[in-house]
Amino acid sequence: MPKQKKTNAARILDEKKIEYTLIEYAVDEEHLDAVHVAREVGLPPEQVFKTLVVRGDKTGPVFAVIPGNGELDLKALAKASGNKRAEMVHLKEVLPLTGYIRGGCSPLGAKKNYPVYLDETCILWDKIAISAGLRGMQIFLNPDDLVKATGAVVVNIIHS
């Protein structure tokens, strides 16, 4: 059986002795959204969290980690992150800022340790899935462990 490749995100969890599972799935270049990924890994979309790169007017880039079927509330994120305004970064900026491409952006192992804001719905689950930093690979872990690994602030940042 071929050895599963490790991503930077997985190595960080190993270093911190945090338990996780790596799950691989078939990549569909036309459907990189978290709802499609959820179907591929057999979880409800609200349990598969997507990582969005957002720029605050005072703090610069931050990560917003929200349920796959959720819509980011930019005003709530701005307030939580100490900004007056926040906006999504342009897709072309994601790779230079994070080292990740669309569909493979993780709050772990980016080029820089940007602040992480994790939607509070994560507490509804024993395990959530996040990108492992590569299209076609997800990390399943306990939300508290994600908070430990990233220093995430858990806050309501999606539209209800």
Side-chain angles (χ1 to χ4, degrees):
M1 190 169 146
K3 191 172 183 283
Q4 195 172 41
K5 54 184 167 200
K6 289 268 175 140
T7 63
N8 285 342
R11 284 194 229 13
I12 288 167
L13 295 175
D14 288 343
E15 285 170 19
K16 295 180 182 286
K17 297 186 179 357
I18 290 175
E19 213 176 285
Y20 65 92
T21 307
L22 275 177
I23 303 293
E24 292 188 63
Y25 63 93
V27 178
D28 178 347
E29 296 288 331
E30 292 186 24
H31 299 99
L32 296 172
D33 60 281
V35 173
H36 178 78
V37 172
R39 263 195 308 275
E40 290 295 311
V41 299
L43 292 176
E46 51 274 9
Q47 195 174 356
V48 175
F49 280 62
K50 58 188 172 186
T51 303
L52 305 174
V53 187
V54 180
R55 181 175 285 111
D57 63 338
K58 293 182 179 160
T59 62
V62 301
F63 286 129
V65 184
I66 66 170
N69 62 346
E71 186 186 333
L72 179 61
D73 182 337
L74 286 166
K75 283 184 180 175
L77 177 64
K79 185 176 178 188
S81 60
N83 289 287
K84 282 189 177 165
R85 284 184 319 284
E87 63 183 23
M88 297 292 296
V89 302
H90 292 286
L91 189 54
K92 67 180 190 273
E93 294 179 90
V94 173
L95 179 61
L97 284 171
T98 67
Y100 291 130
I101 58 173
R102 179 175 176 257
C105 194
S106 178
L108 289 162
K111 278 183 173 179
K112 291 186 179 161
N113 287 328
Y114 296 117
V116 177
Y117 294 87
L118 176 61
D119 187 68
E120 67 186 8
T121 57
C122 68
I123 64 170
L124 301 173
W125 308 100
D126 290 335
K127 301 255 185 236
I128 60 171
I130 60 166
S131 175
L134 203 60
R135 287 179 182 168
M137 195 175 283
Q138 291 281 299
I139 291 176
F140 288 19
L141 78 168
N142 182 285
D144 290 339
D145 288 336
L146 180 59
V147 169
K148 249 184 266 172
T150 61
V153 175
V154 178
V155 64
N156 178 9
I157 53 171
I158 59 171
H159 290 286
S160 326

